[in-house]
Amino acid sequence: ATTTMAKGEPTRLYVRGLVLGFKRARMNQYNHTSLIKLEGVSDAPSTRFYAGKKLCYIYKAKTKKQGTNYRTMWGKVMRPHGTSGVVRAKFAKPLPSNAMGAKVRCMLYPSNI
Amino acid sequence: VGCVLCRLSRTHAAFDSRQRTQPTMAKTKQAKSPSFYPADDVKKPLKRTIEHKQTKLRASIAPGQVLILLAGHFKGKRVVFIKQLASGLLLVAGPYGVNGVPIKRVNQRYVIATSEKVDVSKVDAKKFDDAYFKKPAKDRTRKSEEEFFKVDTSKKELPASYIADNQAVDAALSAAISATPYMKEYLSTLFTLRSGDKPHMMKF
């Protein structure tokens, strides 16, 4: 449940991210590691802040589990990928292929500030 | 043939040395000798000598610091840090009267420290320790069939001492909070990220 401010605006305590795909070479793909583009992060030194932060991929399913149709897959930011702020992530179970292009939430914990 | 002989001598030597290391049983004849000797040496587990230290408090967190809670029911709330408990968890209060956060424990890793501070010298935090927050142990005795399926519909009342403790902390902090302009409003406001916000560049 999201906490609400006085005006009814939900508060966001995560950084928005996009799943770009999986770690890959031209012909081989390594599904155990996903590539995530975090909003506002455009170079490798900036990604240092996000190393180790928890990632949450949220998706909907038909049946209700624990009272909700929303389900989560948790992972974490591992290391930078390249020089433009993309980040490598590992999820508890590899992300499904339909997650490519989907949104992911990069939480601000475990915090180091 | 020579091989067999040397093998025999080796086993004899091993047997010999084993005889020499067996001895403690023979020496303590005063104690009642056990009726069962295990065929092989029984290994005794080593004593655990690990003593966990209290988690190191981050340099940015000092008593009185305003912290932002990042997870849990109170995520986004700005709270006042009172002291670190023996377990390493942080003792934190809204205070309850200001933003609805009671005295609670919070892990350092789920908190962002801001540069704002409140004077907590008047707060008596001696009674708050990990035992205070420990949930009562569940009743694990075997239940009868009726008891197992019974649904408890009675409303759980907060213990009066808990409410009193919170009010005491509120009172101790209220003077310090009203001393700084806008501190009360600051503590009542939730933290949120907005479009264009970059946490890695923010100064908290």
Side-chain angles (χ1 to χ4, degrees), chain B residues 67 69 88-92 104-108 110-111:
Chain B
L67 309 173
L69 298 180
L89 297 172
L90 310 180
L91 181 73
V92 127
K104 70 190 313 294
R105 297 187 294 179
V106 136
N107 191 312
Q108 244 186 108
Y110 292 84
V111 133

Side-chain angles (χ1 to χ4, degrees), chain B residues 24-36:
Chain B
T24 44
M25 300 283 207
K27 279 185 184 159
T28 57
K29 262 285 169 63
Q30 302 101 350
K32 185 180 160 200
S33 52
S35 55
F36 167 72

Side-chain angles (χ1 to χ4, degrees), chain A residues 1-5 9-16 39-41 43 46 49-50 54 108-113, chain B residues 58 60 68-71 73 75-76 108-113 189-195 198-200 204:
Chain A
T2 45
T3 39
T4 52
M5 286 179 131
E9 236 177 84
T11 55
R12 181 161 65 88
L13 285 156
Y14 57 85
V15 174
R16 292 187 281 241
E39 225 178 67
V41 187
D43 59 330
S46 308
F49 170 87
Y50 299 94
K54 289 252 162 80
L108 295 173
Y109 53 81
S111 153
N112 205 18
I113 30 174
Chain B
R58 238 182 277 156
S60 52
I68 299 170
L69 298 180
L70 297 173
H73 186 255
K75 55 180 162 288
Q108 244 186 108
R109 286 287 180 192
Y110 292 84
V111 133
I112 288 180
T189 314
L190 286 169
F191 172 79
T192 182
L193 286 175
R194 290 227 190 96
S195 269
K198 300 177 190 182
H200 63 273
F204 286 94

Side-chain angles (χ1 to χ4, degrees), chain B residues 64-80:
Chain B
Q65 204 89 30
V66 174
L67 309 173
I68 299 170
L69 298 180
L70 297 173
H73 186 255
F74 300 105
K75 55 180 162 288
K77 299 263 186 188
R78 293 180 165 103
V79 295
V80 178

Side-chain angles (χ1 to χ4, degrees), chain B residues 52-58 61 67 81-92 104-111 128-131 133:
Chain B
H52 289 287
K53 279 196 225 173
Q54 192 189 43
T55 320
K56 190 173 165 197
L57 196 61
R58 238 182 277 156
I61 302 176
L67 309 173
F81 168 62
I82 298 169
K83 73 168 186 183
Q84 188 182 27
L85 299 170
S87 63
L89 297 172
L90 310 180
L91 181 73
V92 127
K104 70 190 313 294
R105 297 187 294 179
V106 136
N107 191 312
Q108 244 186 108
R109 286 287 180 192
Y110 292 84
V111 133
F128 302 120
D129 57 355
D130 292 298
F133 294 100

